[in-house]
Amino acid sequence: MERSRVAGEAPTRTRILLASLSAMVAETVTFPIDLTKTRMQLHGSHRIGAIGVVSEIGRQEGMMGFYKGLSPAIIRHLFYTPIRIIGYENLKGFIVRSEGNNSESLSLATKALVGGISGVMAQVVASPADLVKVRMQADGRLVSQGLKPRYSGPIEAFTKILQAEGVKGLWKGVLPNIQRAFLVNMGELACYDHAKHFVIEKKISGDNIYAHTLASIMSGLASTTLSCPADVVKTRMMNQGEKAVYRNSYECLVKTVRFEGIRALWKGFFPTWARLGPWQFVFWVSYEKFRQLAEARRVGNVLRFVERVEIVAQTN
């Protein structure tokens, strides 16, 4: 079977490890942008731009304030990213084998559907960690206002949510989360895969960092445009405590549009895009480089094994 331009030929367990490692690197590098986006979405009708939010965080919380909620974000990606990436690669490979074609014969629509399904599976598993991350990011705002934060760390946040809201509380906002994950991965995975293939096929660039950068920019724009409304709804639903402002994601959507206008659904668009582009660039470059190193090591091990077998055969 022809090698996918997204997937390498490394074993699944190796790709899971490499995807997790690459996601940790990307999340750490881009987390301050994600925090800015979340704070903008939680400001409600009070209009404040990205620069205003960044200034507010720096002034009131210091540099460490930009990494409030990083640990649950990394924990989330240890589950979320490997499931969606490896799920996409394996589902695409299954379809290719079923149809008897090569990986690049799949249409953009098919890749989009596969990407969306992979994102949904990953988000269902990772939703509790995502909830803790959003709550801790929102806590930074309480501290800046002189109020006591709800949680001192991710373990306490997880425990308190479980005690006060039950097991179901850990999956609060899971529906808009799933909707967002479907849209994000439909745009991100399919567009990255398709865009990278287009760049290489048209000889705009070889399979290198330049191609990865172009594909990341295009996929970041597509996934942000599709997912931003669901992201706003998800963030507001997940930040609710015991006293819920919205009964469900539909009511949240309706109230947001009614009181803040349709543009509020794309609140935080540029910070989201500014994060997705670099995140995808760092992730895909890291992932593909790590995969190439793993492949080189595996090939080297195979060659050494063959050499030993030949030596033994010649000796006998």
Side-chain angles (χ1 to χ4, degrees):
M1 185 178 72
E2 179 186 290
R3 179 190 296 177
S4 165
R5 292 194 184 280
V6 174
E9 294 179 344
T12 297
R13 64 178 180 273
T14 301
R15 287 183 285 131
I16 289 174
L17 177 62
L18 299 182
S20 298
L21 181 59
S22 302
M24 289 173 63
V25 174
E27 189 67 19
T28 302
V29 170
T30 62
F31 189 79
I33 307 174
D34 183 47
L35 178 69
T36 301
K37 175 211 70 176
T38 300
R39 294 286 182 86
M40 286 180 69
Q41 292 172 341
L42 292 174
H43 267 288
S45 58
H46 176 57
R47 297 185 180 279
I48 182 170
I51 295 176
V53 171
V54 169
S55 300
E56 182 183 271
I57 295 171
R59 183 175 63 255
Q60 298 178 351
E61 302 172 48
M63 286 302 298
M64 292 305 297
F66 288 103
Y67 287 91
K68 187 74 174 180
L70 176 61
S71 51
I74 288 178
I75 293 170
R76 169 184 179 260
H77 272 287
L78 291 178
F79 296 96
Y80 177 68
T81 296
I83 294 173
R84 72 190 183 96
I85 297 297
I86 310 308
Y88 175 78
E89 295 174 350
N90 289 349
L91 281 173
K92 196 174 76 165
F94 174 77
I95 294 173
V96 167
R97 287 192 297 272
S98 300
E99 295 181 351
N101 298 319
N102 63 58
S103 61
E104 304 307 341
S105 66
L106 296 181
S107 67
L108 180 59
T110 301
K111 292 178 181 178
L113 180 61
V114 171
I117 292 172
S118 302
V120 168
M121 293 189 299
Q123 191 57 60
V124 170
V125 176
S127 196
D130 203 13
L131 176 73
V132 171
K133 181 196 78 169
V134 170
R135 293 279 183 92
M136 289 189 67
Q137 286 180 330
D139 261 10
R141 230 179 124 204
L142 295 176
V143 174
S144 69
Q145 295 169 354
L147 302 174
K148 185 179 179 181
R150 290 174 290 184
Y151 318 109
S152 60
I155 296 176
E156 185 184 11
F158 182 85
T159 304
K160 282 189 173 181
I161 293 170
L162 191 61
Q163 291 173 344
E165 304 171 47
V167 175
K168 289 178 64 177
L170 292 173
W171 273 268
K172 181 171 287 183
V174 69
L175 183 58
N177 230 352
I178 286 174
Q179 293 166 345
R180 176 188 178 275
F182 183 88
L183 294 169
V184 164
N185 288 281
M186 183 175 72
E188 179 186 335
L189 298 179
C191 187
Y192 179 87
D193 192 359
H194 220 69
K196 182 183 171 187
H197 172 62
F198 176 84
V199 169
I200 295 171
E201 185 180 52
K202 299 299 181 182
K203 302 190 186 308
I204 298 172
S205 170
D207 190 358
N208 52 34
I209 290 179
Y210 182 61
H212 304 162
T213 302
L214 290 176
S216 297
I217 292 171
M218 288 183 271
S219 64
L221 180 59
S223 58
T224 303
T225 303
L226 288 170
S227 68
C228 205
D231 195 28
V232 170
V233 172
K234 178 214 77 168
T235 300
R236 294 186 179 189
M237 288 290 293
M238 295 183 82
N239 190 49
Q240 296 184 117
E242 296 177 68
K243 296 181 180 179
V245 179
Y246 313 108
R247 288 174 297 177
N248 50 52
S249 57
Y250 176 73
E251 184 181 39
C252 179
L253 177 68
V254 171
K255 282 187 175 181
T256 299
V257 174
R258 180 183 300 165
F259 296 115
E260 302 174 45
I262 191 71
R263 291 177 60 187
L265 295 177
W266 279 271
K267 186 169 286 186
F269 176 87
F270 288 107
T272 302
W273 187 26
R275 177 180 184 266
L276 276 175
W279 196 100
Q280 290 184 42
F281 170 73
V282 174
F283 172 77
W284 286 113
V285 170
S286 301
Y287 180 51
E288 295 191 358
K289 285 294 181 184
F290 288 150
R291 177 180 55 75
Q292 288 169 4
L293 289 173
E295 277 188 41
R297 181 178 179 183
R298 185 167 59 87
V299 170
N301 289 338
V302 171
L303 291 175
R304 282 192 291 271
F305 176 76
V306 171
E307 287 175 358
R308 287 171 187 168
V309 170
E310 289 177 346
I311 291 171
V312 171
Q314 289 173 1
T315 303
N316 294 334

